[in-house]
Amino acid sequence: TQLLEQSPQFLSIQEGENLTVYCNSSSVFSSLQWYRQEPGEGPVLLVTVVTGGEVKKLKRLTFQFGDARKDSSLHITAAQPGDTGLYLCAGPSSEAGSYQLTFGKGTKLSVIP
Amino acid sequence: DTGVSQDPRHKITKRGQNVTFRCDPISEHNRLYWYRQTLGQGPEFLTYFQNEAQLEKSRLLSDRFSAERPKGSFSTLEIQRTEQGDSAMYLCASSLAVGSGYTFGSGTRLTVV
């Protein structure tokens, strides 16, 4: 069973601070996706990383896929209250014939104005 | 396109009753997924459709759960003889291709009392 462990589980920071959240596995993933979810809503896709070592930037968010494709990180620069939410990483199953995504439990981020 | 629509947004039912949820995916997306999410957890895979064919079901899925996608467009998820443990957010998602990111709906929040 492929598991994705996310850390920290909870993070509360002041507006303007920088932060990094992590997504780790003992398994190799062909790709990883990051989503943000607000209370009472479905997750919204932020990015997909495919190549080991890949870095993608989305405004103040920087995503990195580990060289071995077993881990990923999300760095937010100068966090804003609008960044508050649950950040989920997800990866496709390596099982033949499976189409499902495995999700981590998420990092719940609160940005205090 | 208005995205993925789910109906109802909230459902409260008594234990033992049957419930049915509906999902309307993005019209161009032939792949449709159902996930379940409980508090403090990431989404958990339930089932996958490609067009009208149900190609994958979670091994953990009770036989009280059934899903259909009769014409390859909208889908329904039915839970028979609901139990308190079925209380969760039920999320529907669609995608254009395997490996591409999901577009999730806002979910149906089920409470079994």
Side-chain angles (χ1 to χ4, degrees):
Chain A
T1 304
Q2 295 173 293
L3 294 175
L4 286 167
E5 295 187 3
Q6 294 192 243
S7 60
Q9 191 175 354
F10 300 97
L11 187 57
S12 182
I13 63 169
Q14 294 288 326
E15 181 178 359
E17 292 183 349
N18 302 334
L19 67 116
T20 303
V21 299
Y22 301 92
C23 173
N24 295 296
S25 177
S26 58
S27 304
V28 175
F29 283 88
S30 58
S31 63
L32 280 178
Q33 300 172 9
W34 284 91
Y35 293 81
R36 180 171 66 212
Q37 184 176 24
E38 298 187 12
E41 297 294 328
V44 175
L45 179 68
L46 297 174
V47 77
T48 301
V49 287
V50 179
T51 306
E54 181 178 7
V55 177
K56 281 193 173 179
K57 292 191 175 183
L58 186 66
K59 297 183 181 178
R60 294 175 296 98
L61 278 60
T62 301
F63 303 86
Q64 185 161 10
F65 200 12
D67 291 341
R69 291 185 288 128
K70 291 183 178 182
D71 57 88
S72 182
S73 63
L74 160 59
H75 182 78
I76 301 178
T77 303
Q80 299 178 359
D83 296 326
T84 293
L86 179 68
Y87 288 82
L88 294 158
C89 66
S93 171
S94 62
E95 190 177 325
S98 178
Y99 300 88
Q100 63 180 279
L101 282 182
T102 297
F103 282 82
K105 292 184 177 182
T107 292
K108 190 171 184 180
L109 172 65
S110 297
V111 181
I112 302 165
Chain B
D1 197 326
T2 56
V4 177
S5 298
Q6 291 190 246
D7 184 69
R9 289 295 310 273
H10 303 276
K11 178 72 177 179
I12 300 174
T13 191
K14 291 185 178 179
R15 190 173 51 186
Q17 297 293 305
N18 299 342
V19 294
T20 300
F21 310 139
R22 178 180 169 120
C23 172
D24 288 89
I26 293 174
S27 55
E28 303 83 44
H29 290 182
N30 62 346
R31 300 170 195 273
L32 185 147
Y33 313 81
W34 285 97
Y35 281 75
R36 175 172 63 189
Q37 186 176 25
T38 54
L39 201 61
Q41 303 293 319
E44 172 192 29
F45 173 77
L46 294 179
T47 191
Y48 162 69
F49 289 87
Q50 184 171 323
N51 299 311
E52 66 276 8
Q54 187 174 22
L55 297 186
E56 188 176 2
K57 287 171 60 174
S58 169
R59 297 187 199 97
L60 302 176
L61 199 60
S62 161
D63 58 8
R64 296 183 295 105
F65 287 69
S66 62
E68 293 183 340
R69 195 182 182 196
K71 296 183 179 180
S73 56
F74 74 92
S75 175
T76 58
L77 177 69
E78 181 183 17
I79 309 174
Q80 295 183 326
R81 304 181 302 282
T82 52
E83 302 172 356
Q84 286 189 318
D86 297 332
S87 295
M89 173 78 90
Y90 289 83
L91 294 163
C92 175
S94 67
S95 72
L96 198 53
V98 173
S100 62
Y102 291 178
T103 301
F104 279 91
S106 296
T108 294
R109 168 72 65 187
L110 173 67
T111 303
V112 182
V113 297

